[in-house]
Amino acid sequence: MDGKVLEIIEKHRNDDSKLLAILHDVQNEFGYIPEDAIKTIAKELGMKKGEVYDAASFYSFFKFEPEGKHEVMICDCIVCHIKGSERIIERIEKEFGVKMGETTKDGKFTFKVVEGLGHCESSPVMMLDGKIYGDLTPEKAMEILRGCE
Amino acid sequence: MIITIDGKRVEVEEGKTILQAARENGIEIPALCNYIDGKPIGSCGLCVVSIKNGGREYHARACATKVADGMEIETHTQEVEDARRTILEMLAEEHGEIGGEANELFLKYGIEIKSDKKREAPNLVDNPFISFNPNACVSCFRCVQACSLIKENHVLVRENRGSNIGIVAGINENLKDAGCAFCGACVDACPTGALMDLTPKEEEGKKITSICPYCGVGCAIDYYVLGNEIIYARGSPDGVNKGDDCIKGRYGWQFVHSEERLKKPLIKKNGKFEEVTWDEALNYVASRLKEIKEKYGADSIAGLSSAKCTNEENYLFQKFMRIVVGTNNVDHCARLCHASTVVGLFKVFGSGAMTNSLEDLEKDAELYFVIGSNTTHAHPVIGTMIKRAVKSRGAKLIVADPRDIELAEYSDLHLRQRPGTDVALINGMMNVIISHGLEDREFIENRTEGFEKLKEIVKKYTPEYVEKITGVPKEDIIKAAVLYATHKSAIIYAMGITQHTSGTANVASLANLALLTGNVGKRGAGVNPLRGQNNVQGAGDMGALPNVLPGYAKLGTRRAREIEKIWGRKIPEKDGLTVVEMMHAASKGVIKGMYIMGENPAVSDPDQKHVIQALKNLEFLVVQDLFMSETAQLADVILPVVSSLEKEGTFTNTERRVQLLHRVLEPVEDAKPDWWIIQEIAKRMGAEWNYESPKDIFEEIRKVVLQYRGITYERIEKMGLQWPCPSEGHHGTKILHEDMFPTPNGLAKFSPYEYNPPAEEPDEEYPFVLTTGRTYEHFHTGTLTRKIDGFNELIPEAFVEIHPEDAEKLGVEDGDCIEVESRRGKIRVKAKLAGIKKGVVFIPFHFAESAANVLTIDALDPEAKIPELKVAAVRLKKC
Amino acid sequence: MLLLKDARNVEDYLAQGGFKALRKALEFGQDEIIKEVETSGLLGRGGAAFPTGLKMKFVRKERKTPKYIVANADEGEPGTFKDRVLMERNPYQILEGMIISAYAIGAKKGFFYIRYEYKEIAKDIERKIEELRRLGILGPSIYGSKFSFDIEVVLGAGAYVCGEETALMESIEGKRGFPRIKPPYPAQYGLWGKPTLINNVETLANIPVVMSMGGANYSRLGKEGCSGPKLFSVSGFVKNPGVYEANLGEKTIGEMIELTGGVEGEFKGLMIGGGAAGFILNEEYLDMPLCFKDAKERGLFLGTGDIIVFNESVNIWDILLNIAKFFEHESCGQCFPCRYGTKRMREIIEKIVRGEGRKEDIEKLNATARAMKIASLCPLGASAMLAYESAMKNFREELMGVIQ
Ligand SMILES: Cc1cc2nc3c(=O)[nH]c(=O)nc-3n(C[C@H](O)[C@H](O)[C@H](O)COP(=O)(O)O)c2cc1C
Ligand code: SF4
Ligand code: SF4
Ligand code: SF4
Ligand code: FES
Ligand code: FES
């Protein structure tokens, strides 16, 4: 693992703003940010490991434990909320037998409620592995999720 | 500038915050999160005030807002007070009962406490010294600020955000794994009692300030005492440490309450120790010593004084050896740590002590050249000072050490020299300085002699040549030399320099380097040996050395005769034996009797097997100690003593500061102070001594030791004075050699040395270089620290640090057992993969059961007679 | 359209006269550019409506170097999505504005901070920056001039507060996004303590417009003292939600809603001001011109220029609960008033929504609002209660109706 992390750090060595970029790449590589990666990053950037964690744990999209294969973020901010995001959330929770913030037993999905995806012209909206799906209904949402490998 | 505060027009200095201005004018603004003035955290929001300025009306934080001319400030408007009350109410709702400053505010604002919310504790709670109550933690981040800004440790950090925010250690680890130094700065910072020292009792104790019993920094520690028990301790703001402390100062006092303390005199009868009365013990000791002296002569007796005992006791001990026993066979463990400092610095500067003071080093050094000192571990308060200077004011740092010591992380340049090659390295730096024309010509011209000879000798130490010897890349040698020469640079060193056959050469070379660049006799510069034990400096000053008398008076000189006059007895003129020579003499049967005060040579000295055999060979051995040490077990008589927390007297710290001890506790049972014991034995051997107190002895010291003449107990009641202090009107000397060197002609003398390899170099049979040293948590031979559970929990056993690649070749993984063998013996220890130069291994020497000194060699420096504890050839094997 | 052009690739942008403004600017003196911007009356589009020319002047004046420029594309306000649409449709204009501004203040390095939710756009912007380097429009000696400038894209990681300028800078520096105590302001003490100009991406896209037509002409677009084109994010219950461009002061809120095809269902109310940190208004405000000045006169602000329209299906307490949850989750947690205040607000409103609300709860909410307003460290905490306070004013009956 160390080698991969070092490679990522090298890639960003000359950026002025590197920590966030490195953390993003590490998370892309491993699906989360492992403790050992934090130690390596700290060492290479001349920081203390706690300083790296202090920064990283602030942001909601950094994860420190492995999660499901697919990340599903459902917007429940004002616009999506008044346009019915709650019904989508209810439906998902029922169909998959999980609560928001949890991962399905088979490890396929991790569901999260988020604050504003910035596509309010097509509310309600969800983001599946970084891709936006808008004008959702509970049925449409289920269909998209079922179509997921 | 003029501002108006609560209707009052007041004059305030520019740059002050509103909070400071208010306080100066007697106005109290609640300010829970403000910890370091001018470095606002800004979390609590309680200090918000109403401001009118330049036609604008607004609210702002008093702790973070600087005053501006014409500002009108209202500190207690209805609106502001309501906001404060609301904030406190919310705190009470979330956290319920909390202590400290927060609770005082609750009372003041009449806040009702009602909360049963429970928070989960982060992993940091798992540690032996510090407790954490997550419900009381209001995430004000004062502790985080203390750990980062004051200590530069960055162990405590924040986790998550919003209402889930909290503090954790490292990556939510336990404190030890997160790299905590257990300095307690976070505990001191916490305004709610969420972080506290784990103490046996909750009550407040009575505060008594004394000097820390451990290292040579000589921190003043406030001990809080209840009955005859210390409850907790913290660095005193009134000492050289200015409130700072380390794990040993803060928690290391726990040994005084150990069950294992010796409480009664013991005499070995038929191979077993039996408790006896003081009278019996003292009579027995006196008669046996007399007997040996009569039978074999005074020089068949040797004494080891102690760098852990007070000046008064050291003074008395050497006086006892010299004029009651009648021999100069007196030495102490400084022989093992800084004998070469005394000799080397004396040679160059005419005085063997640290040239500068902590205060000017902290404020004014532009560059620290740390060589052979793991400062953050061995002298933590100075280590912190360096880290802070580097981080907060951008001071430069060069570290020369084969290990990746903590300071290396903070350094601009880390030179990993092969152990024992320091002379070459320093000569190389001087070569570069001269060839680049960076020497200080004026200083050399006016204040030194012997420059030509130096030039001649360092000529061949080109960077290329030195790279071959030291393994340091030549570019780094050049960089180090240029950096050092172009800044106001302070050299800081410790045992990594002194404990070599070339110890004196190392020290003198560093002194040469400082002279060459004019880095002596001014603030923020100098050559600064860090003394290991709390009173190494004092023990030397008191003449607990075989070749000099108190005040470094040479035997047989005019000054020696003056001292004879004061003592009223003849002082023998023949140099006595040094520590290692005593052991050799004992094993050869030349030394028959030994008197050892508070030392543990059976663990601390090189070539342990030989030392133990030597001690066993004695006809009579008397040991004074707190505990049944490895050495005490070999004794015929053991005399129980009190610790420095139970007595009065003075210690002299590494910066020559004579500091007064205050008695914190009453002695345990029958234990006695060392000075009392020495006097009782002396009396029984015919001396007419009647010192009533340490102060009596000190008054005599003032007459004998010229450097101490102006120092009195009264003057140092609060803060010590730095010698030389020639008269009572003198304020002590912060920086040595400002105008003149204490040499006959007032000039310093370049004393160049050629590089000589260490006594034992690695070869095919023993391919690794072993070097030894301290850990942060333990001290010396562990007699004190290993009595404390928490310390043992942190570092329970010895280990050997080894480079991962070397380990791999041996097929060894972290935690595996390794057998380390030298020509003198072998031990088994756990492997610890670490950042250390390849081919070099490190073992701490605190652990009697796997004593590093079984392996070390007792080859001596020819001038200072210090043994080469830092280099031995060893071979390793997986066990 | 001056902003909402469709110029997704560089050929299109050049064809529509792109980068002419930059070339013109490079012939101007730095102070002259700033003068033009000042004359234009351009106000920041990121929410605070601070005069852009003045901010440039502050940074230009500073002696410390290096200086930095930051494009703020963290767009996190619920109901705001105009920056996204702008970056999708007309990204080069933002970059052009950034280069001109950098030249004017003497910055050699810029950062483009984009929220994580827009990471695909971030990748696209990165590609476009690379493209501009190849074209000699970024990098050393731009268009052969002595001016060199480059841009680094920084992707956020999910924190609304990082849109706040000082939090954003902490984030670029690789730290947690805690807003700093101001003053000092970014113009004096920005990235790594250096003078820094930070602008919203829409603000930056206005710079080439100012340069092309000249400050004086620009100042005549829209209304006196409130000039220039502005993007409006219109969402909620309207027929065609989306981003619309209009000069400031040109249209009223009602007219803007009409422009989108009108209300879906029966109009109940609306929000303006920048999503959660905004105002809940009733029909009395439909005739208010969309202009910073008019808003200010009515004790409001336009903020980012978003309009969220409510119909009869919307319950105001429910909206307030949603907003409270938003703030509780997005408070950075640095300061007590906001950290505890947002939580308390959510707890009380939850209780009210459950039907257990009492008079004391309203008093508690009011006290909390006051404390947050004066004692919060940054504007997030200080504005978290705006929605509640304005709703209390405009929908008092409905809200108090459920209180016992
Ligand atoms: C909580 C908070 C969030 C903000 N989010 C954004 C944002 O997403 N985008 C933005 O441009 N400005 C945002 N701002 C405003 C910025 O702090 C800053 O005023 C703006 O970037 C200045 O640019 P302008 O002068 O071009 O408007 C936010 C402010 C606050 C207090
Ligand atoms: S004890 Fe010292 S090092 Fe450890 S967390 Fe507290 S302040 Fe930091
Ligand atoms: S432990 Fe104490 S000092 Fe640290 S954040 Fe909590 S309340 Fe503040
Ligand atoms: S007001 Fe809120 S977001 Fe702003 S600093 Fe305070 S806690 Fe953070
Ligand atoms: S509120 Fe959900 S995308 Fe805007
Ligand atoms: S003391 Fe000023 S914010 Fe806490």
Side-chain angles (χ1 to χ4, degrees), chain B residues 124 130 143-148 150-157 168-169 175-176 178-189 195 197 245 250-251 387 776:
Chain B
L124 72 87
I130 296 175
C143 55
V144 175
Q145 188 179 52
C147 189
S148 54
I150 299 180
K151 294 293 188 162
E152 289 299 344
N153 283 335
H154 303 274
V155 168
L156 285 184
V157 297
V168 295
L175 277 178
K176 182 189 167 210
C180 172
F182 295 97
C183 64
C186 51
V187 172
D188 295 346
L195 281 167
D197 286 332
D245 57 19
R250 199 175 174 99
Y251 306 109
K387 290 198 287 189
Y776 173 65

Side-chain angles (χ1 to χ4, degrees), chain B residues 354-368:
Chain B
M354 174 160 164
T355 59
N356 287 51
S357 304
L358 300 182
E359 186 252 354
D360 73 279
L361 290 178
E362 161 139 48
K363 285 199 191 127
D364 295 323
E366 293 169 356
L367 180 145
Y368 300 93

